[in-house]
């Protein structure tokens, strides 16, 4: 009798232990080059929750997984337009705000901006935001074109300009939702157009410069710019700044710069969100709440060179990062920035077809 009682207690303890252990893990799926890994270790040490961290460099890849379901992830980081579509598709779960006390630090201005993508701010907490623009090797570009229009979309979309840089290497993001709107902006069309006839015009622009593009890739340009393998990229602000810093640290004589195109640039917001079937929602919320601490998110911005969305973190971000116009766009630049609303199914089909055709052409 006594023995049975003991076994019963033991079984109970083991059971509780297993349940607790199951929630002591958080599976995070985030963009590559987007975190200071010491933050993950600090979170583990403080909470006892182990972080299993995977990365991607494309919203399309993330969305395919989310739509298929059973990703196993607790926290994912879609970009604004994709987030909106994923909410509508019903693949995300609303965040339990009562478990996010650090939301008090969240910027009301950015919360307001996010209403367009996440009505009522129910599903998403912005991690970082940024712009898309031109990354370049100062010396290689100057040698090939002394008066190169480095702050203009002509660098990428004017065949007479980009042709001059084909020999030193041009990469662009492998993201139709980036290059198609930018091509439309270049020809003075609405970058957020979903009209198939207008989207076709972007295709024509892209096909003309296709021969000069060495690679479509959304993360390799960081290293390639930093070590001088390429001289021009259409990429994301913080990633180009990371390339610049890597080159500076390596003292390899490579000088990288980033420019927001004067014609206008896409501004986007990447948010923490949870798949509907997240296996460890409590741990996921604990992770998101930890990232909302001003001192933690400031450390994240210092490392990735992207602005965060925390109103109480500004003073904590390193002065050199906070005052870097490539990281935090100055007020004068803000009116030039545009956002992209989600592509519905029909427009997405057109976009995907255009992208396949552009990439496949030579
Ligand atoms: C991280 C880039 C994320 C920007 N390397 C995509 N919105």
């Amino acid at each position: 009798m006594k023995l049975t009682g003991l076994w019963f207690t033991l079984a109970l303890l083991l059971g509780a232990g297993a349940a607790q252990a199951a929630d002591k893990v958080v599976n995070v799926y985030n963009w590559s080059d987007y975190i200071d890994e010491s933050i993950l270790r600090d979170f583990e040490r403080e909470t006892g929750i182990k972080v299993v961290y995977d990365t991607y460099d494309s919203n399309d890849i993330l969305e395919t997984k989310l739509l298929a379901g059973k990703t196993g992830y607790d926290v994912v980081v879609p970009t604004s337009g994709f987030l909106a579509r994923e909410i509508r598709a019903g693949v995300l779960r609303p965040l339990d705000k009562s478990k996010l006390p650090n939301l008090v630090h969240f910027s009301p201005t950015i919360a307001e901006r996010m209403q367009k993508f996440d009505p009522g701010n129910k599903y998403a907490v912005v991690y970082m935001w940024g712009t898309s623009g031109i990354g370049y090797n100062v010396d290689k570009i100057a040698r090939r074109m002394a008066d190169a229009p480095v702050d203009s979309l002509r660098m990428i979309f004017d065949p007479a300009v980009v042709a001059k840089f084909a020999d030193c290497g041009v990469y662009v993001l492998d993201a139709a939702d980036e290059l198609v709107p930018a091509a439309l902006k270049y020809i003075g069309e609405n970058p957020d157009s979903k009209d198939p006839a207008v989207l076709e015009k972007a295709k024509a622009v892209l096909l003309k410069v296709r021969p000069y593009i060495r690679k479509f890739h959304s993360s390799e340009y960081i290293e390639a710019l930093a070590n001088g393998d390429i001289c021009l990229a259409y990429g994301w602000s913080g990633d180009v700044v990371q390339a610049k810093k890597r080159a500076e640290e390596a003292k390899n004589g490579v000088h990288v710069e980033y420019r927001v195109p004067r014609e206008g640039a896409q501004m986007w917001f990447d948010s923490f969100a949870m798949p509907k079937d997240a296996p460890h929602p409590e741990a996921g919320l604990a992770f998101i709440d930890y990232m909302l601490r001003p001192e933690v998110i400031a450390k994240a911005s210092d490392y990735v060179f992207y602005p965060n969305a925390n109103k109480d973190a500004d003073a904590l971000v390193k002065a050199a990062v906070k005052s870097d116009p490539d990281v935090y766009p100055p007020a004068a630049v803000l009116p030039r920035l545009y956002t992209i609303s989600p592509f519905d199914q029909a427009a997405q089909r057109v976009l995907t077809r255009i992208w396949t055709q552009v990439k496949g052409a030579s």
Side-chain angles (χ1 to χ4, degrees):
M1 189 63 199
K2 237 186 188 163
L3 205 63
T4 321
L6 183 66
W7 280 118
F8 183 70
T9 318
L10 247 176
L12 256 184
L13 279 172
L14 283 173
Q20 203 181 24
D23 243 6
K24 286 286 175 189
V25 174
V26 61
N27 296 326
V28 179
Y29 194 39
N30 193 4
W31 293 83
S32 48
D33 303 287
Y34 221 23
I35 192 94
D36 174 344
E37 300 228 350
S38 75
I39 292 174
L40 307 179
R41 305 292 84 85
D42 291 348
F43 171 80
E44 290 180 328
R45 214 172 300 124
E46 186 179 311
T47 61
I49 301 172
K50 185 180 158 45
V51 182
V52 180
Y53 195 82
D54 272 354
T55 59
Y56 55 91
D57 66 2
S58 155
N59 274 301
D60 300 303
I61 291 176
L62 169 61
E63 189 166 273
T64 305
K65 292 196 185 200
L66 286 173
L67 294 176
K70 297 205 175 67
T71 61
Y73 296 120
D74 300 301
V75 178
V76 294
V77 191
T79 305
S80 17
F82 286 82
L83 169 79
R85 193 162 63 184
E86 289 153 12
I87 292 172
R88 283 180 211 165
V91 295
L92 300 177
R93 63 186 277 154
L95 302 176
D96 178 352
K97 303 273 181 80
S98 73
K99 303 283 167 53
L100 299 174
N102 285 314
L103 261 183
V104 292
H105 303 296
F106 196 81
S107 153
T109 323
I110 294 184
E112 187 49 43
R113 270 189 170 272
M114 285 303 291
Q115 292 278 357
K116 178 175 159 195
F117 304 104
D118 173 18
N121 301 112
K122 290 203 181 85
Y123 291 86
V125 169
V126 174
Y127 172 46
M128 300 281 168
W129 59 279
T131 59
S132 314
I134 294 147
Y136 65 103
N137 179 310
V138 175
D139 305 306
K140 288 192 177 177
I141 294 293
R143 223 173 293 142
R144 286 164 179 79
M145 188 178 185
D147 58 348
V150 292
D151 69 342
S152 166
L153 288 172
R154 290 181 56 212
M155 290 292 281
I156 306 288
F157 298 116
D158 182 344
V161 174
V162 66
K164 295 193 185 349
F165 312 128
D167 76 298
C168 56
V170 181
Y171 282 10
V172 301
L173 294 170
D174 185 6
D177 55 290
E178 289 280 355
L179 270 294
V180 167
L184 290 178
K185 192 77 196 165
Y186 173 66
I187 53 171
E189 291 283 352
N190 172 10
D192 199 21
S193 177
K194 306 291 188 252
D195 176 346
V198 176
L199 296 174
E200 284 298 323
K201 293 186 189 178
K203 179 172 101 185
V205 172
L206 284 158
L207 284 175
K208 277 194 209 121
V209 296
R210 175 65 187 90
Y212 313 116
I213 298 171
R214 190 178 292 173
K215 201 182 235 185
F216 293 82
H217 200 284
S218 297
S219 53
E220 285 181 0
Y221 64 97
I222 304 180
E223 201 51 34
L225 273 175
N227 62 28
D229 279 353
I230 61 169
C231 59
L232 182 60
Y234 187 82
W236 290 307
S237 49
D239 287 13
V240 176
V241 179
Q242 285 180 46
K244 172 179 168 162
K245 304 290 172 186
R246 278 187 209 176
E248 279 169 13
E249 268 159 35
K251 297 196 174 49
N252 60 3
V254 174
H255 181 188
V256 176
E257 284 296 345
Y258 176 74
R259 289 289 174 269
V260 171
R262 68 169 98 103
E263 296 89 344
Q266 184 172 165
M267 167 174 54
W268 41 260
F269 301 87
D270 292 340
S271 298
F272 292 125
M274 295 179 94
K276 179 146 245 165
D277 55 0
H280 317 102
E282 295 294 319
L285 288 163
F287 180 79
I288 296 172
D289 196 54
Y290 184 80
M291 296 306 296
L292 277 164
R293 289 189 196 171
E295 66 279 12
V296 172
I297 198 71
K299 188 175 175 187
S301 280
D302 284 348
Y303 189 91
V304 298
F305 299 102
Y306 284 100
N308 58 68
N310 192 307
K311 71 174 163 60
D312 299 323
D314 281 0
L316 304 172
V317 172
K318 276 191 194 141
V321 175
K322 185 70 193 45
S323 63
D324 185 336
D326 297 336
V327 181
Y328 281 81
V333 170
L334 296 179
R336 299 205 316 252
L337 305 179
Y338 57 84
T339 55
I340 295 299
S341 56
F343 284 76
D344 62 21
Q345 242 185 10
Q348 181 63 46
R349 260 197 300 275
V350 177
L351 187 71
T352 306
R353 184 176 41 76
I354 289 176
W355 199 236
T356 310
Q357 288 170 349
V358 168
K359 288 204 292 180
S362 51

